[in-house]
Amino acid sequence: MQDSGIQVLFQGTNFLRLLGGLWVSLKIAVLSMGLSMVLGILMGMIMTSTNKIIRFICRIYLETVRIMPQLVLLFLVYFGSAKHLGLNLSGNMAAVIVFTFWGTAEMGDLVRSALISIPVHQYESGFALGMTKIQVYLTIIIPQTVRRLIPSLINLLTRMIKTTSLVVLIGVVEVVKTGKQIIDASRYTNPKAALWVYGTIFILYFLICYPFSRVSAILEKRLKD
Amino acid sequence: MDFEFIRSYYPMYVEAAKMTLGISFIGIVLSIVIGLICSIIKIMEIPVLKSIVNLYIELSRNTPLLIQLFFLYFGLPKLGIVLSSQACAIVGLAFLGGSYMAEAFRTGIDNVDVIQTESGLSLGLTKGQVFLHIILPQAIATSVPVLCANIIFLIKETSVFSAVALADLMFVAKDLIGIYYKTDEALFMLVISYLVILLPISLICTWIERRVRYAGFGNTSTVSGN
């Protein structure tokens, strides 16, 4: 029988190395997501401001993020910061900065639309009970907003996990890079390695993202009913 | 900023932008076709095809385009299927975009009230006629905002094509940085190029979205992911 090449996955610690690479991507995604959530909530509250100038600035920020491909942003931060700020950012650092910058905008927009979808009387009732603005937000508005936010939040997280695959292009050693190393190392012993390694990475990403997208779909449906 | 440098190298960006736009155009048209077919299969609930379509949609939505491209470009040749960079880019974009478009159309079709189908059927139209003349036009109108968002998303995604050696905008920028170390100029041109391509499209989309909303077609709050 012809050699299928699948054994490349089981040689030495190859499979574990791939998982390790994936872990690097996940760490970047989770860290950026955490930061984006905190900053995004603030951003969303700022975006509901009645001040036209503030709203305009927020709009520009949001549109910039929406229009520029994430890869372009990564390049800008990675190469730009090295040259101008004399900062030697690691690829990981640049990735976290870019994904947080992007996530904060998206998150802000989600928070904004959730906030404005909450009826005004909820605020008014709070104030009528003599609560302060902070109390109204903390105990009435935010709990309701969070409930509406969760499905889109999970969506954003899966998008972020998917997008972390780009960081290989600015030299972060994550799952794709590890895969390349494995392929290069077995170039002569196993010429078909590329098929199996990239196939595995494809499946690994799917296995991580799919559960999230299921959960988000289920929650969305439940919210609608 | 070295404007002389920009002047001598901007033709490279123009070429790359044409490449990006060309690939995007073909990829987006294909993904709309795939999306339409998939959404019709899902709505009509055709037995076996439906499961295949579902599997395809989940696979394509839950994996990054970059990985899809690597598999196409580096993996498939090992099975004897060799695709050029362009072919990979188009196949990848259509594969990714198809599922997003399918979802857009499906939500559009779902948003058309059941009563519309019932009225059509009671007027003596066939199922096919009802779909073609009543459901589809309304569904397309509701899908427009999501469709627009998807188009912008797909054009943005083309930025990863440089990874499979397609001479697109990112590729040119990376080249110029690598060869001349003209980081500022290369990145500046890169940003300008994407602005020139995407800003008008984004503005047109906002305009269309507003028109559709004023025309009172369904809700536009449907969120598209990317």
Side-chain angles (χ1 to χ4, degrees):
Chain A
M1 206 182 87
Q2 218 201 353
D3 190 3
S4 75
I6 193 172
Q7 66 275 16
V8 69
L9 297 175
F10 308 109
Q11 271 157 4
T13 53
N14 280 356
F15 194 69
L16 282 178
R17 281 176 64 201
L18 278 182
L19 288 182
L22 200 61
W23 182 232
V24 174
S25 316
L26 280 181
K27 268 198 295 204
I28 294 175
V30 170
L31 188 57
S32 319
M33 192 65 197
L35 287 171
S36 311
M37 269 167 69
V38 177
L39 295 173
I41 290 174
L42 279 175
M43 183 76 205
M45 286 164 74
I46 294 172
M47 281 164 103
T48 55
S49 156
T50 42
N51 187 323
K52 272 205 174 123
I53 300 168
I54 293 178
R55 276 224 309 262
F56 182 71
I57 295 171
C58 292
R59 194 86 225 150
I60 298 264
Y61 169 37
L62 186 63
E63 292 305 324
T64 317
V65 171
R66 289 249 163 103
I67 281 188
M68 275 301 130
Q70 277 93 30
L71 190 55
V72 175
L73 294 175
L74 278 174
F75 266 50
L76 280 180
V77 170
Y78 188 62
F79 291 111
S81 71
K83 194 160 181 197
H84 287 287
L85 309 173
L87 277 175
N88 210 348
L89 282 184
S90 69
N92 298 46
M93 208 39 206
V96 171
I97 293 175
V98 168
F99 291 144
T100 307
F101 180 75
W102 163 50
T104 302
E106 294 271 357
M107 182 72 196
D109 196 40
L110 292 175
V111 171
R112 183 195 59 88
S113 57
L115 281 177
I116 57 171
S117 74
I118 288 171
V120 192
H121 64 75
Q122 297 276 342
Y123 293 85
E124 286 165 352
S125 318
F127 291 133
L129 286 170
M131 296 168 101
T132 64
K133 207 168 177 182
I134 296 171
Q135 281 176 325
V136 169
Y137 265 105
L138 280 183
T139 57
I140 303 178
I141 308 302
I142 291 180
Q144 294 187 67
T145 319
V146 167
R147 218 176 76 94
R148 289 171 203 217
L149 267 180
I150 289 173
S152 16
L153 242 171
I154 299 175
N155 254 335
L156 187 62
L157 179 63
T158 39
R159 279 163 60 194
M160 230 174 235
I161 295 175
K162 275 170 44 175
T163 317
T164 52
S165 63
L166 298 182
V167 300
V168 68
L169 303 176
I170 56 166
V172 177
V173 182
E174 41 72 84
V175 63
V176 181
K177 188 78 191 164
T178 317
K180 273 187 178 156
Q181 290 166 353
I182 294 174
I183 293 165
D184 285 338
S186 52
R187 177 130 295 162
Y188 297 107
T189 51
N190 194 338
K192 281 193 180 160
L195 179 72
W196 293 102
V197 170
Y198 287 127
T200 309
I201 298 175
F202 181 84
I203 302 289
L204 283 176
Y205 263 107
F206 176 73
L207 289 179
I208 291 179
C209 294
Y210 180 66
F212 285 117
S213 79
R214 283 301 324 142
V215 170
S216 141
I218 291 167
L219 288 177
E220 223 161 90
K221 204 176 224 171
R222 194 177 290 171
L223 215 60
K224 219 183 249 174
D225 295 338
Chain B
M1 195 81 78
D2 181 352
F3 285 102
E4 202 43 51
F5 181 81
I6 291 180
R7 220 182 23 232
S8 49
Y9 283 98
Y10 92 86
M12 281 175 77
Y13 281 91
V14 175
E15 277 312 301
K18 276 188 203 155
M19 171 75 92
T20 300
L21 276 176
I23 301 259
S24 310
F25 181 76
I26 304 175
I28 288 168
V29 169
L30 280 177
S31 58
I32 288 177
V33 174
I34 295 175
L36 258 180
I37 296 173
C38 288
S39 60
I40 290 172
I41 289 175
K42 273 188 94 162
I43 295 287
M44 296 270 175
E45 308 212 325
I46 302 168
V48 184
L49 287 180
K50 197 186 151 202
S51 328
I52 297 176
V53 165
N54 278 334
L55 180 71
Y56 155 65
I57 289 179
E58 295 301 343
L59 271 182
S60 123
R61 284 180 71 97
N62 289 305
T63 48
L65 179 62
L66 185 68
I67 311 296
Q68 296 166 4
L69 288 174
F70 274 144
F71 185 72
L72 289 172
Y73 193 68
F74 299 112
L76 283 188
K78 309 294 170 199
L79 288 178
I81 306 165
V82 181
L83 297 173
S84 68
S85 300
Q86 275 107 323
C88 265
I90 291 171
V91 172
L93 202 60
F95 180 81
L96 180 79
S99 64
Y100 282 93
M101 294 300 181
E103 291 293 286
F105 290 130
R106 197 186 50 81
T107 17
I109 295 173
D110 273 350
N111 278 344
V112 181
D113 269 336
V114 188
I115 197 164
Q116 303 266 346
T117 314
E118 288 164 355
S119 324
L121 290 175
S122 65
L123 283 171
L125 296 174
T126 65
K127 243 183 157 177
Q129 283 174 322
V130 169
F131 186 77
L132 210 62
H133 299 298
I134 300 179
I135 310 298
L136 204 57
Q138 298 187 62
I140 288 177
T142 8
S143 320
V144 164
V146 193
L147 224 73
C148 282
N150 284 348
I151 289 175
I152 294 180
F153 157 63
L154 288 174
I155 298 179
K156 278 170 64 178
E157 286 287 295
T158 59
S159 60
V160 311
F161 289 157
S162 59
V164 292
L166 189 79
D168 75 335
L169 289 165
M170 294 303 294
F171 193 85
V172 170
K174 221 157 73 179
D175 246 20
L176 293 184
I177 293 175
I179 300 172
Y180 303 105
Y181 200 61
K182 291 280 186 192
T183 316
D184 288 337
E185 292 77 6
L187 292 178
F188 175 73
M189 290 293 287
L190 182 66
V191 170
I192 297 291
S193 309
Y194 274 109
L195 274 184
V196 168
I197 293 178
L198 286 163
L199 202 58
I201 300 178
S202 162
L203 290 177
I204 293 171
C205 285
T206 323
W207 180 77
I208 294 177
E209 234 166 82
R210 203 167 298 147
R211 302 271 325 215
V212 173
R213 192 157 47 210
Y214 281 148
F217 290 119
N219 73 64
T220 46
S221 64
T222 331
V223 187
S224 89
N226 70 357

